[in-house]
Amino acid sequence: MLELRHIGFVAADGDANKEILDDVSLTVNEPFVAITGPNGSGKSTLAKIIAGILTPTEGKIFLDGEDITGLSVTERARRGISYAFQQPVRFKGLTVKDLISLAAGKKLTVSEVCGFLSEVGLCARDYIDREVNASLSGGELKRIEIATVLARSKGLTVFDEPEAGIDLWSFQSLISVFEKMHARTKGNILIISHQERILNIADRIVVIAGGRVQKDGTREEVLPGLLAGRMCPALQG
Amino acid sequence: MDELEKMLLLEIADLHKVPDGAYNIRKNGEADGRRSTPHIRIEPRRDAKAGIDIFVSGETKGESVHIPVVITETDYKEKVYNDFYIEDGADVLIIAGCGIHNCGQATSEHSGIHTFHVGKNARVRYVEKHYGSGEGGGENVMDPTTDIRLGEHSRLEMETTQIKGVDSTVRTTRAVLEAGAELVIREKIYTHGRQYAKTDFSVQLNGDGAGADVVSRSVAAEQSRQEFTLRIDGNGRCHGHSECDAIIMDDAKVVAIPALAANSVDAELIHEAAIGKIAGEQLLKLMTLGLTEQEAEEQIIKGFLS
Ligand SMILES: Nc1ncnc2c1ncn2[C@@H]1O[C@H](COP(=O)(O)OP(=O)(O)OP(=O)(O)O)[C@@H](O)[C@H]1O
Ligand SMILES: [Mg+2]
């Protein structure tokens, strides 16, 4: 279980300070929790704060009751937090197999790596020895990113817009990736998404707007309102 | 051969035993074993210079030649000339390399001057590794020169690696390409401590359809210094591409000076150069997989130089 208590984040923006998150509190205790909200509302910032990449200027983070606010990225990863980046990182020289092995924390056999790649819809043979460099397309890179967190399959996994750039291999397969992952880990999966079909599988939906939690409730409570206000005037507030 | 020499051979040539095929092992200036084969002849030079002549017949298909150099004495300096005569149509793998283990206080130095005369339609893969070790204060110095003449429609692929223990090196590679010839160079260098490495490539694309692709990847750590200079001359309808990619760490210094010269309107020449520290987001990504910052750094460098 993950708990965020009164998280605030202020970024130094030139000479001025920019408040990006303001008093965000939420709990992730269900299998699937979705965060949604307008572009620039602070969702990825929140994901980075959970992973330890950014340090909140206010508030505390608890993982299974332990205060992890002061822990490094590495320590959090070792306690079971995984984070699939919105914009995956490219590496000159590291191959897909290297990266997935590092994620798994051990040397994987070719067939194990292939297993993860086919789960994300990549024909493994074509990718296993490729470098994770600029020659991969955006969608390929995104799938490999998802494969890295699959290979970890730990207690809490944060996906930052996993659907972005992914074609019609599609939502159904992506959703089955989440479901298999949950079946394996019995952990919690936090998905940042703009897609109705992903929000549809969430046990809970949190709406972030302007750096604050605007709504937080079960899917049944939150989704109808989101769909009704499709053009989102409500979200802008 | 003692354990130390075996270790050096393993480092530079992946050799666990006497290699199959043709070979010449040079140890502290002496020939320590030589074998010619029906297709590949190794002979002492006809002039007074140290070194060998290697004749590769046109019948050669998929054979290899190993010519490692091992130095285990301190204060030992040599200049060795090896000439390769590769006949039209041959297909050969050449594995060279130099390992110096210098336990003493004085400098040991090896300069290998390799000249390749590559015939028409021949295929050559040339693999060269430089390695140094030894706890003494004496420096290990290697200054390899590679001179390549590529005949029409021939191809030479050169992999050159220097990962450890070479205190000072100036690596000079010159190539002249005839029509349709192809040159591929992959260089990998890691320097640390107070090491110095300079690389100097010069490629003349003379014939129509000649092409060169030169890629250098290097990591400069601690107080080491690297210099990369390159010049490609396009003298006809040809294409040249070069890439110099350096990761800089700690207090290291890296200079890259690429030059392209197009002497024909049909020459297509491209150079890419990038020098920078390891990207923060690469470290972070690997840390989110549970690696420490140092482990992440090691993995990134290992991948980059592999
Ligand atoms: N270091 C920074 N300095 C200044 N502003 C920043 C910094 N980092 C993020 N921001 C701003 O913070 C806001 C929130 O960014 P964030 O990436 O968290 O948004 P998001 O909700 O993930 O958006 P999207 O849906 O587009 O992915 C944006 O306005 C962004 O420009
Ligand atoms: Mg975002």
Side-chain angles (χ1 to χ4, degrees):
Chain A
M1 181 175 78
L2 177 80
E3 253 188 287
L4 303 179
R5 292 191 198 155
H6 308 293
I7 296 293
F9 183 73
V10 177
D13 190 7
D15 291 336
N17 281 340
K18 185 172 171 192
E19 184 169 60
I20 293 169
L21 291 173
D22 176 22
D23 195 21
V24 172
S25 294
L26 60 91
T27 304
V28 180
N29 198 20
E30 295 83 350
F32 300 111
V33 175
I35 295 183
T36 191
N39 294 136
S41 57
K43 305 179 297 296
S44 293
T45 305
L46 196 62
K48 287 175 190 158
I49 285 173
I50 294 169
I53 292 171
L54 294 174
T55 309
T57 32
E58 266 173 81
K60 291 210 170 299
I61 309 164
F62 292 83
L63 182 70
D64 300 324
E66 183 195 7
D67 183 350
I68 59 164
T69 320
L71 296 191
S72 69
V73 176
T74 308
E75 289 165 321
R76 292 186 200 197
R78 290 181 178 174
R79 279 172 175 67
I81 295 182
S82 300
Y83 173 38
F85 287 31
Q86 180 173 5
Q87 270 138 2
V89 182
R90 295 175 197 265
F91 294 87
K92 267 191 190 166
L94 280 186
T95 63
V96 172
K97 182 169 185 245
D98 293 337
L99 193 60
I100 294 179
S101 294
L102 287 175
K106 57 178 189 210
K107 261 235 147 355
L108 296 178
T109 64
V110 169
S111 77
E112 286 171 313
V113 177
C114 286
F116 292 121
L117 289 175
S118 38
E119 277 192 60
V120 297
L122 290 177
C123 176
R125 222 182 11 189
D126 302 343
Y127 289 94
I128 193 153
D129 289 322
R130 274 188 68 179
E131 285 185 27
V132 188
N133 64 16
S135 74
L136 290 167
S137 78
E140 290 167 339
L141 196 64
K142 196 77 186 182
R143 290 172 190 229
I144 291 162
E145 180 74 4
I146 293 170
T148 63
V149 298
L150 263 181
R152 281 173 56 74
S153 285
K154 300 276 182 181
L156 174 76
T157 307
V158 182
F159 287 96
D160 198 345
E161 297 195 24
E163 77 277 9
I166 286 192
D167 61 41
L168 296 173
W169 157 68
S170 85
F171 291 102
Q172 209 39 58
S173 313
L174 191 58
I175 286 164
S176 79
V177 164
F178 300 148
E179 281 166 350
K180 276 194 208 146
M181 185 170 214
H182 179 256
R184 225 173 328 189
T185 63
K186 305 275 177 277
N188 310 111
I189 298 180
L190 179 62
I191 310 170
I192 298 172
S193 177
H194 298 287
Q195 277 295 333
E196 184 186 335
R197 289 170 72 179
I198 286 180
L199 300 183
N200 252 322
I201 64 155
D203 301 296
R204 252 156 70 96
I205 299 177
V206 179
V207 181
I208 305 247
R212 300 172 135 260
V213 175
Q214 203 197 40
K215 280 207 185 82
D216 181 351
T218 64
R219 177 179 66 231
E220 293 75 15
E221 288 164 356
V222 178
L223 194 57
L226 277 178
L227 298 177
R230 186 158 251 153
M231 297 318 288
C232 284
L235 292 184
Q236 307 303 336
Chain B
M1 189 159 295
D2 64 23
E3 286 310 309
L4 181 59
E5 290 153 10
K6 282 187 192 154
M7 182 276 287
L8 290 174
L9 276 180
L10 192 62
E11 283 291 342
I12 59 171
D14 247 340
L15 283 180
H16 297 268
K17 52 176 178 58
V18 166
D20 295 331
Y23 70 88
N24 184 84
I25 299 174
R26 184 182 173 91
K27 196 177 102 183
N28 295 321
E30 311 274 332
D32 193 63
R34 172 178 303 165
R35 185 203 292 144
S36 295
T37 64
H39 294 152
I40 302 171
R41 259 188 312 124
I42 303 179
E43 292 180 2
R45 292 181 64 88
R46 281 160 293 189
D47 58 21
K49 293 175 184 164
I52 47 179
D53 286 334
I54 297 113
F55 300 91
V56 178
S57 90
E59 256 90 273
T60 311
K61 294 282 173 267
E63 290 179 47
S64 62
V65 196
H66 285 81
I67 52 157
V69 171
V70 172
I71 295 172
T72 54
E73 287 176 3
T74 191
D75 197 15
Y76 179 82
K77 297 191 173 66
E78 67 177 8
K79 213 173 191 148
V80 177
Y81 294 80
N82 296 333
D83 288 10
F84 297 82
Y85 297 90
I86 309 207
E87 284 184 0
D88 294 357
D91 179 347
V92 67
L93 166 64
I94 297 164
I95 296 163
C98 176
I100 300 183
H101 183 90
N102 183 355
C103 265
Q105 295 302 315
T107 299
S108 283
E109 189 173 330
H110 172 82
S111 301
I113 295 105
H114 289 183
T115 305
F116 292 87
H117 305 268
V118 182
K120 290 178 190 167
N121 300 307
R123 296 255 165 299
V124 180
R125 203 168 140 233
Y126 175 52
V127 180
E128 177 193 70
K129 274 192 199 159
H130 291 145
Y131 174 84
S133 60
E135 300 71 40
E139 297 214 321
N140 298 330
V141 176
M142 296 185 200
D143 291 336
T145 300
T146 310
D147 234 308
I148 302 166
R149 291 167 208 169
L150 286 178
E152 287 178 16
H153 301 284
S154 65
R155 176 185 164 95
L156 185 139
E157 228 176 280
M158 172 171 171
E159 276 168 45
T160 169
T161 310
Q162 176 193 307
I163 300 297
K164 253 178 128 172
V166 180
D167 298 294
S168 167
T169 183
V170 177
R171 307 147 65 85
T172 309
T173 305
R174 291 184 290 259
V176 178
L177 281 72
E178 309 271 315
E182 249 183 292
L183 174 69
V184 176
I185 297 179
R186 297 286 177 264
E187 175 183 68
K188 278 163 198 163
I189 299 183
Y190 178 87
T191 55
H192 62 108
R194 305 200 154 274
Q195 294 174 349
Y196 170 72
K198 177 177 162 111
T199 294
D200 182 13
F201 291 107
S202 122
V203 179
Q204 296 282 334
L205 300 171
N206 284 348
D208 279 357
D213 183 32
V214 180
V215 177
S216 169
R217 280 190 181 176
S218 71
V219 175
E222 298 171 354
Q223 286 92 47
S224 65
R225 285 173 306 128
Q226 295 183 4
E227 270 176 66
F228 172 92
T229 54
L230 164 133
R231 178 175 166 128
I232 299 180
D233 281 63
N235 303 323
R237 186 174 54 75
C238 61
H239 53 96
H241 170 254
S242 79
E243 191 180 321
C244 147
D245 219 325
I247 291 180
I248 178 166
M249 303 169 73
D250 313 313
D251 302 313
K253 293 193 168 70
V254 176
V255 182
I257 310 168
L260 301 176
N263 301 315
S264 156
V265 70
D266 291 320
E268 283 176 32
L269 306 174
I270 297 173
H271 178 74
E272 303 168 66
I275 304 174
K277 60 173 188 258
I278 295 177
E281 55 169 18
Q282 293 183 337
L283 291 171
L284 284 170
K285 172 63 196 176
L286 297 191
M287 287 159 73
T288 66
L289 302 179
L291 281 72
T292 62
E293 185 168 353
Q294 197 185 340
E295 288 164 348
E297 207 172 86
E298 285 164 13
Q299 290 295 334
I300 292 165
I301 289 172
K302 198 173 105 193
F304 186 71
L305 292 178
S306 70

